[in-house]
């Protein structure tokens, strides 16, 4: 396992969890054994799947020794996708949970135990620069920044880029920026178009794929489903996440070649 991707953002409301969930599905449907980990103390992945706050055990129980790793990981109905939910975390215990992830080797040890089981691991984080995003950056191979196509988000992007650079310099030299992903893009709105134009022209590493503002994401959230799992014809935004997964794989191949590492492809069977 050499493809740990963490999603981080300076501010909330960027669609980070929506991206994490649908990207994990896209990787899995491309045949990659994928694990989606919910590091957010609010349990954003579980909430996106319309699950109650106490429905799943997960990371919280693993951290305090109340569940084994295999017990904490949930196998989904998509054979190549597993979830590590946040678990049953009392809101009053959030500071202890954040401290446990940041101040110990718990997260790196957990990932070491998973080595060889997954081709891609996606880490979903709370927004901002707190203990949990810092912990995830310290163990990740790659960072993706979902950037909402609005002016305030653009003004704050240098902050998260600074954090990524700082973690790479101090804690994790293998960390690479995989890409800046424009989200909630409305090309027909001048302000949104201006932001995405500035990102594409002014920042290295901006991805070609972008995520538009679309009603289908509200529909999927209301039903507790990834976009690709809605009934009816396959929605174009599900295809967009497949395009995103393909683009990210190309960037990972290129970046690993630049540092002299091999990008390992999983074995597949033709017949």
């Amino acid at each position: 396992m050499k493809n740990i991707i963490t999603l981080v953002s300076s501010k909330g409301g960027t669609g980070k969890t929506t991206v994490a969930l649908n990207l994990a599905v896209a990787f899995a449907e491309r045949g990659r054994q994928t694990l989606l980990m919910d590091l957010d103390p609010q349990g954003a992945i579980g909430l996106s799947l319309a699950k109650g706050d106490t429905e799943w055990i997960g990371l919280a129980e693993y951290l305090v020794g109340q569940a084994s790793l295999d017990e904490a990981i949930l196998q989904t109905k998509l054979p190549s996708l597993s979830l590590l939910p946040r678990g049953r975390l009392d809101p009053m215990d959030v500071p202890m949970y954040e401290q446990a992830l940041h101040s110990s080797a718990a997260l790196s040890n957990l990932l070491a135990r998973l080595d060889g089981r997954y081709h891609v691991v996606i880490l979903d984080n709370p927004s901002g620069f707190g203990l949990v995003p810092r912990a995830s950056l310290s163990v990740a191979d790659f960072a993706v920044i979902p950037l909402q196509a609005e002016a305030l988000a653009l003004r704050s992007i240098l902050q998260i880029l600074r954090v990524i650079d700082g973690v790479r310099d101090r804690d994790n030299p293998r960390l690479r920026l995989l890409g800046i992903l424009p989200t909630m893009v409305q090309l027909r709105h001048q302000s949104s178009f201006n932001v995405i134009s500035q990102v594409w022209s002014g920042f290295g590493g901006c991805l070609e794929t972008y995520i538009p503002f679309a009603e289908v994401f509200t529909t999927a959230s209301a039903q507790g489903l990834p976009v690709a799992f809605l009934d009816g014809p396959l929605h174009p935004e599900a295809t967009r996440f497949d395009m995103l997964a393909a683009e990210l794989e190309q960037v990972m191949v290129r970046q690993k070649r630049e540092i002299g590492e091999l990008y390992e492809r999983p074995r597949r069977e033709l017949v």
Side-chain angles (χ1 to χ4, degrees):
M1 180 184 64
K2 280 293 185 181
N3 302 291
I4 303 169
I5 304 171
T6 186
L7 276 71
V8 291
S9 61
S10 302
K11 60 184 292 294
T14 65
K16 176 168 43 56
T17 296
T18 297
V19 170
L21 174 61
N22 287 281
L23 179 60
V25 169
F27 272 120
E29 292 196 321
R30 291 173 65 84
R32 311 305 188 235
Q33 287 295 325
T34 303
L35 176 67
L36 174 59
M37 291 178 56
D38 188 356
L39 303 183
D40 191 337
Q42 293 186 15
I45 295 295
L47 295 176
S48 295
L49 294 172
K51 297 302 179 182
D53 214 32
T54 61
E55 187 160 347
W56 286 334
I57 65 170
L59 181 58
E61 285 79 6
Y62 171 78
L63 290 174
V64 296
Q66 293 179 356
S68 68
L69 189 54
D70 286 337
E71 290 171 334
I73 292 175
L74 175 67
Q75 175 60 55
T76 73
K77 293 180 180 179
L78 182 57
S80 49
L81 177 62
S82 299
L83 301 178
L84 179 53
R86 178 210 60 186
R88 298 164 181 160
L89 179 65
D90 190 310
M92 294 298 293
D93 294 333
V94 166
M96 290 181 287
Y97 167 86
E98 293 179 327
Q99 193 66 35
L101 284 176
H102 180 261
S103 64
S104 70
L107 193 54
S108 59
N109 289 341
L110 184 160
L111 290 166
R113 293 185 61 187
L114 295 173
D115 196 23
R117 290 174 57 174
Y118 299 100
H119 186 68
V120 177
V121 176
I122 297 177
L123 310 179
D124 187 38
N125 293 281
S127 58
F129 320 115
L131 298 179
V132 175
R134 287 284 296 273
S136 74
L137 287 167
S138 71
V139 298
D141 299 298
F142 303 103
V144 172
I145 304 174
L147 177 72
Q148 185 179 357
E150 56 92 25
L152 181 58
L154 180 59
R155 295 182 194 127
S156 67
I157 191 173
L158 292 178
Q159 297 175 340
I160 194 65
L161 289 171
R162 171 70 185 92
V163 172
I164 292 172
D165 287 343
V167 171
R168 182 192 303 118
D169 292 342
R170 300 177 186 178
D171 304 315
N172 183 8
R174 75 177 186 278
L175 178 65
R176 296 291 183 273
L177 175 62
L178 193 54
I180 299 169
L181 173 66
T183 62
M184 301 187 184
V185 175
Q186 302 179 74
L187 293 180
R188 294 184 180 181
H189 291 199
Q190 190 63 46
S191 59
S192 181
F193 179 80
N194 289 343
V195 168
I196 195 171
S197 297
Q198 290 180 61
V199 172
W200 274 333
S201 63
F203 291 91
C206 186
L207 298 166
E208 294 182 8
T209 308
Y210 66 88
I211 308 301
F213 183 89
E215 185 64 29
V216 68
F217 294 119
T218 302
T219 302
S221 179
Q223 297 186 32
L225 292 170
V227 172
F229 279 57
L230 292 172
D231 57 0
L234 185 65
H235 197 278
E237 302 318 327
T239 304
R240 189 179 298 271
F241 279 101
D242 180 68
M243 293 168 53
L244 176 60
E247 183 178 1
L248 293 179
E249 284 203 324
Q250 291 176 357
V251 179
M252 286 190 284
V253 169
R254 184 173 69 248
Q255 291 195 359
K256 290 201 169 190
R257 284 175 178 167
E258 289 173 355
I259 61 175
E261 290 188 14
L262 295 177
Y263 181 83
E264 298 179 3
R265 295 173 55 85
R267 171 177 169 162
R268 297 181 296 168
E269 299 291 343
L270 179 60
V271 294

